Amino acid sequence: MVYYSHSKPPCRFPGTTMNERGFTMNPPGDAHGMQKRHSGAVRSAQQVRRPAMRIRYFHSNPIATKEFKKHVSGRKQIMMIELGREKRQTIRSICEASEEVLVRGAVEGTVGRVWVPKLENSSYCLILVGDYAYLTGLPPKGRLSLELKSQIYQCASHAYLIPQDELWADWIEEEFMGQIRKVSRYALKKSEHHFDMGVLKQYISSIPKGIHMRQLDGPLYRQAFKQPWSHNLCMNFEDENHFIEKGFGYGALKGKELVAGCSACGASEGIVEVQVSTRKDYRRQGLALACSAAFLLECLGKNLIPNWSAVNLQSVGLAEKLGYVYDREYQVYQIKGEL
């Protein structure tokens, strides 16, 4: 089974199907996926799916623009293959050097979606987990590069593009010349020796009067998933049963209403990725600190390493209060505008 955000169905070009193994395939008898697609009805659907706005992302590179126009409007439209959860052992060698929790979780089939150019011996892959798209392996060239670019536009244009190394950073900057922005993120060192259990318990006991905390369960999962501010606490899991099986978290409630939370937005063997959210009208009351403290105590009790990647300096400050130690700033990429 392929995991994806509830609001985003598996993406594929019109005329393709998803077979029982989780692979995107062309129709039977249509090896190149084109003969039948040039009927008037299908061509009209494709024209709607391929807005001219997509081409403007390459205006700074005339050669890339010409090649990309040929690719998206030509006679041969081949998308990458999406791997189901059971097929992801084929990318273990590509991703074995990655220390990213969400990449490891995707390889293990816990979270996310994965695309490869071919079923066997792929040299690279695209991994999408929530708002993060990871590029791993060796960057492609020529037609394969155009196909990967198309896949990013189709399914990951909203996401932060995270390169595995400098080769991928160069690929992103060249292929999306003039149409990306760099965004800073901050890595923090994590070790059980950094956390003071007494301090964490004090944070939990210091929540304001009228607020109580409890572990995230099925009803709180459903409540969090419906709200834009808390959607990211659980969006990487297929449903509430999958969240309860593979993830966990703590929420702060005002009555029965969830107002803050900290959860595992992704998990791999022995390590989890931390996600924290607070409703705007309940910020600066220590709720994120208390929920995070409860979450960390749970991690320590289960011998799990909680990985914290900060999106801004405020998040860095919160992590340092909990016991994390600042490590470094690094860059990710974001496509400008919307398709």
Side-chain angles (χ1 to χ4, degrees), residues 19-220:
N19 71 8
E20 67 277 4
R21 295 178 296 167
F23 301 140
T24 302
M25 307 295 289
N26 290 326
D30 187 4
H32 297 293
M34 287 310 307
Q35 290 90 335
K36 296 180 182 179
R37 295 185 208 172
H38 280 282
S39 65
V42 176
R43 184 167 59 246
S44 297
Q46 289 176 331
Q47 289 169 349
V48 172
R49 290 277 184 108
R50 297 197 306 271
M53 287 190 295
R54 184 183 304 156
I55 307 303
R56 68 184 175 85
Y57 286 96
F58 297 91
H59 65 81
S60 299
N61 189 335
I63 295 177
T65 301
K66 182 178 179 181
E67 291 301 314
F68 191 62
K69 284 182 179 180
K70 285 172 59 180
H71 183 67
V72 299
S73 61
R75 292 176 175 267
K76 191 174 184 180
Q77 293 178 345
I78 302 176
M79 294 297 287
M80 296 174 69
I81 300 168
E82 182 169 4
L83 296 179
R85 178 171 59 176
E86 301 80 7
K87 298 293 180 180
R88 296 184 185 177
Q89 68 273 10
T90 60
I91 63 168
R92 285 188 179 275
S93 60
I94 305 174
C95 304
E96 63 182 357
S98 177
E99 296 182 356
E100 295 283 353
V101 179
L102 298 182
V103 170
R104 291 169 54 178
V107 174
E108 294 167 7
T110 304
V111 293
R113 304 172 67 186
V114 177
W115 292 269
V116 293
K118 55 183 181 179
L119 296 182
E120 300 294 337
N121 300 318
S122 293
S123 59
Y124 63 92
C125 66
L126 168 65
I127 296 174
L128 178 65
V129 185
D131 293 329
Y132 304 99
Y134 299 89
L135 296 164
T136 63
L138 296 174
K141 298 180 180 179
R143 176 182 62 83
L144 294 177
S145 184
L146 292 175
E147 289 177 8
L148 175 56
K149 190 187 307 180
S150 295
Q151 191 69 61
I152 291 172
Y153 273 128
Q154 287 290 322
C155 297
S157 62
H158 69 286
Y160 293 104
L161 303 179
I162 303 178
Q164 180 187 34
D165 50 33
E166 289 300 321
L167 290 177
W168 276 111
D170 293 341
W171 183 88
I172 292 172
E173 293 183 12
E174 180 179 349
E175 296 299 331
F176 295 94
M177 184 183 299
Q179 293 301 313
I180 53 172
R181 62 170 66 90
K182 285 186 176 182
V183 181
S184 292
R185 292 183 67 87
Y186 307 91
L188 294 113
K189 298 177 182 178
K190 60 272 183 187
S191 169
E192 61 181 9
H193 303 297
H194 296 159
F195 303 120
D196 186 321
M197 297 182 67
V199 172
L200 296 177
K201 291 177 180 179
Q202 183 178 353
Y203 289 146
I204 297 172
S205 64
S206 299
I207 58 174
K209 186 178 180 180
I211 302 291
H212 66 281
M213 292 180 56
R214 80 172 205 230
Q215 192 163 11
L216 297 180
D217 53 14
L220 286 181

Side-chain angles (χ1 to χ4, degrees), residues 214 216-226 240 244 258:
R214 80 172 205 230
L216 297 180
D217 53 14
L220 286 181
Y221 167 92
R222 294 192 294 272
Q223 187 180 153
F225 192 82
K226 292 178 182 178
E240 63 182 82
I244 292 171
L258 183 68

